[in-house]
Amino acid sequence: MSGKRIAIVQSNYIPWKGYFDLIALVDHFVLYDDVQFNKYNWRNRNRIKTREGVRWLTIPIVQKSLQQKIQDVEAADRFWMKKHWRSIEVNYARAAYFSEYKDFFEDLYLSTREKYLSEINYRFLTALCGLLGIGTTLSWSRDYHLPEGRIERVVDLCQQLGANEFLSGPTARPYINEPLFTAGGIRVVWMDYQGYPEYRQLFCPPFIHEVSVIDLLLNEGAKEARRYMLSAKISRPGAPESQEGQARRS
């Protein structure tokens, strides 16, 4: 089916490979950061693999009110970058591709000057997309004039971008009103995160999928990383089908 597919998701800090699969499978990815920030989520933290198990890397933030929007949340200090880089350096020093990407990640972290969480996340997302060879357009929901209503806003944003497909993660199923999308000429497509292959991860067993994509990049390298992602086997609407996808259909 030809057309334009978009995804609309709150920005995450150094997210797992599934987040980047979502980006890779759409034509336009909107960072939905003009909504309320909630603590203890993925907006300002993620996990890496260590000898002692998974470890959280958390950007300390200043939350001025419970109703504060993600785009208005600021980092609490200028020291988190050094701490996070040091944690990655210590725990991935023996990863197969650490030496190849050491300078890239060190500069990415230590030259960070953005103070708003949304802009920090954008910085890391675009850099990691570049490494993974993902060329999807990214924008912010704040760039558009949207109506009231939780689902109405999303439908209207799809229409403004000329989309006929909306790709959503499975956790949104209880909230998505599909008839509203259908009435707006938009088909809802659901992401399935089942079936990820394992790669040569450090400190195994156990193998853990739910860690930052940095883990995959440092263990397998950018050229091989996409082989361990679902988007390598699925085509976007109107895009040439991947060789693996063609093989599965033949």
Side-chain angles (χ1 to χ4, degrees):
M1 176 181 179
S2 62
K4 185 176 183 180
R5 178 188 289 169
I6 73 168
I8 304 170
V9 183
Q10 296 170 3
S11 69
N12 286 7
Y13 172 57
I14 56 170
W16 79 305
K17 57 197 172 188
Y19 192 100
F20 288 94
D21 269 328
L22 203 64
I23 297 177
L25 289 170
V26 298
D27 302 288
H28 197 120
F29 190 87
V30 181
L31 300 174
Y32 200 48
D33 284 1
D34 66 334
V35 294
Q36 183 178 332
F37 173 83
N38 294 311
K39 283 187 175 181
Y40 312 116
N41 216 310
W42 303 99
R43 311 302 153 244
N44 66 316
R45 64 177 188 164
N46 223 293
R47 309 194 303 175
I48 61 171
K49 190 88 179 287
T50 77
R51 190 175 301 280
E52 291 75 33
V54 294
R55 176 177 179 178
W56 287 98
L57 297 183
T58 303
I59 301 174
I61 56 94
V62 177
Q63 188 174 13
K64 298 178 181 178
S65 74
L66 293 177
Q67 288 74 42
Q68 192 170 18
K69 295 178 180 179
I70 298 169
Q71 65 189 26
D72 298 324
V73 173
E74 297 181 35
D77 62 51
R78 295 288 184 178
F79 306 108
W80 67 267
M81 303 94 75
K82 294 181 180 179
K83 294 177 181 177
H84 287 199
W85 165 241
R86 181 57 179 163
S87 292
I88 292 170
E89 185 178 31
V90 168
N91 289 289
Y92 289 96
R94 294 187 178 182
Y97 287 84
F98 178 79
S99 59
E100 182 171 338
Y101 298 110
K102 177 182 181 297
D103 291 344
F104 173 88
F105 281 107
E106 184 174 22
D107 179 70
L108 179 63
Y109 272 94
L110 301 188
S111 64
T112 298
R113 296 293 180 267
E114 292 81 358
K115 68 175 183 177
Y116 288 98
L117 177 62
S118 185
E119 295 175 356
I120 292 169
N121 288 344
Y122 180 85
R123 171 185 175 83
F124 281 83
L125 287 172
T126 53
L128 292 169
C129 279
L131 274 186
L132 291 165
I134 298 173
T136 301
T137 300
L138 271 66
S139 65
W140 278 291
S141 55
R142 68 190 184 202
D143 297 333
Y144 308 88
H145 180 71
L146 301 175
E148 295 297 324
R150 183 173 185 175
I151 302 302
E152 288 81 0
R153 299 177 90 239
V154 177
V155 172
D156 189 80
L157 186 46
C158 289
Q159 292 173 329
Q160 287 189 49
L161 290 168
N164 63 354
E165 283 193 351
F166 171 67
L167 180 61
S168 176
T171 58
R173 279 188 182 273
Y175 314 106
I176 294 295
N177 185 339
E178 290 197 47
L180 280 179
F181 285 87
T182 302
I186 301 155
R187 174 174 175 250
V188 178
V189 183
W190 297 100
M191 185 68 186
D192 184 356
Y193 293 117
Q194 301 299 313
Y196 277 112
E198 295 184 1
Y199 51 89
R200 49 178 171 179
Q201 190 177 69
L202 293 175
F203 314 122
C204 287
F207 185 93
I208 301 175
H209 287 288
E210 297 82 7
V211 291
S212 170
V213 74
I214 289 176
D215 183 272
L216 172 58
L217 284 164
L218 293 181
N219 281 303
E220 290 292 346
K223 291 182 179 179
E224 291 296 310
R226 291 292 294 276
R227 292 182 55 230
Y228 298 94
M229 295 174 64
L230 301 180
S231 54
K233 303 176 177 63
I234 307 172
S235 293
R236 293 182 304 179
E241 187 174 19
S242 68
Q243 292 182 353
E244 290 182 62
Q246 293 174 15
R248 290 198 305 164
R249 287 166 55 87
S250 61

